[in-house]
């Protein structure tokens, strides 16, 4: 199969860009700090459970495509899908200089060395934002995470009154639904349903962290007679 990649919704094959050397995929580095304690052998490690960004590089040939169009495409930030793993999407940006090698012969075209700065997770392509939401109307319910890492979902709780949401051992209390509240664990913010007003003051996170969905089965339940339903945008992801 012809190697390709998709960036910001544009397929390299559609604009006449040929991939010469495919981009390498890396496992992100875990953010672990080593600490040396005076009078103690070895070192201690402090692991905050997060991962660092990483950079991947590859070589493409413009093959007659206008350089200005290619430069405009390979700029800014967006989702990156590599052709050898079309079911996963990486949040990437191109901030590095693009190295251009020019040839002076018939049938030869500009060759570019391109780098992407990548966020650590690979998101499931079939779980595009809002396209495959999970709607819960009765409690308890089980939601299975097919990814290999916990995800940071967007939770839309609709109803009135007070609600207490439990996801596994995580507990979230909403004091005043007033129609509904959006809890976005990725952004670390809470909003009203129109997303025009912050609602952090009415949401209490019992363990201080925004709720996540662990790999495998997650039991979700809630109390509050005024709750009419919960919509989950899961954002499944792998390392």
């Amino acid at each position: 199969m012809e190697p390709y990649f998709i960036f910001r919704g544009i397929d390299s094959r559609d604009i006449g860009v040929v991939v010469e050397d495919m981009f390498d995929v890396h496992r992100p580095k875990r953010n672990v700090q080593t600490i040396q304690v005076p009078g103690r052998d070895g070192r201690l490690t402090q692991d905050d459970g997060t991962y660092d960004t990483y950079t991947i590089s590859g070589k493409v040939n413009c093959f007659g495509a206008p350089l200005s169009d290619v430069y405009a495409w390979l700029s800014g930030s967006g989702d990156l899908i590599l052709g050898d793993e079309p079911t996963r999407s990486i949040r990437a940006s191109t901030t590095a200089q693009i190295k251009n090698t020019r040839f002076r012969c018939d049938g030869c075209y500009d060759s570019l060395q391109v780098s992407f700065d990548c966020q650590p997770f690979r998101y499931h392509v079939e779980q595009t934002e809002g396209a495959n939401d999970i709607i819960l109307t009765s409690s308890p319910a089980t939601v299975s995470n097919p990814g290999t890492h916990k995800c940071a979902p967007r939770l839309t709780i609709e109803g009135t009154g007070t609600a207490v949401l439990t996801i596994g051992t995580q507990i979230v209390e909403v004091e005043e639904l007033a129609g509904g509240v959006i809890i976005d664990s990725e952004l670390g913010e809470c909003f009203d349903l129109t997303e025009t007003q912050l609602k952090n003051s009415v949401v209490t996170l019992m363990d201080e962290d925004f709720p996540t969905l662990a790999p495998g089965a997650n039991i979700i339940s809630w109390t509050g007679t005024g709750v009419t339903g919960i919509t989950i945008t899961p954002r499944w992801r792998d390392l």
Side-chain angles (χ1 to χ4, degrees), residues 9 30 41 55 68 90 105 107 131 134 158 173 177 187 199 215:
R30 196 173 178 100
D41 296 324
T55 301
S68 58
I90 302 169
C105 63
I134 299 166
E158 296 184 75
E173 181 177 346
L177 279 171
L187 295 178
K199 286 288 188 176

Side-chain angles (χ1 to χ4, degrees), residues 164-208:
V164 177
L165 173 67
T166 302
I167 303 176
T169 60
Q170 306 164 93
I171 300 175
V172 179
E173 181 177 346
V174 184
E175 296 179 1
E176 189 179 326
L177 279 171
V181 169
I182 296 171
I183 301 172
D184 197 316
S185 296
E186 191 169 73
L187 295 178
E189 298 284 3
C190 304
F191 308 91
D192 66 357
L193 293 183
T194 63
E195 298 186 66
T196 58
Q197 182 179 354
L198 284 175
K199 286 288 188 176
N200 294 324
S201 61
V202 304
V203 177
T204 301
L205 307 172
M206 295 304 183
D207 58 0
E208 298 185 354

Side-chain angles (χ1 to χ4, degrees), residues 59-76:
K59 184 183 289 186
V60 302
N61 197 303
C62 288
F63 211 47
L67 270 179
S68 58
D69 292 347
V70 177
Y71 286 154
W73 168 47
L74 297 177
S75 63

Side-chain angles (χ1 to χ4, degrees), residues 37 68 108 154 168:
V37 179
S68 58
C108 296
R154 170 188 166 104

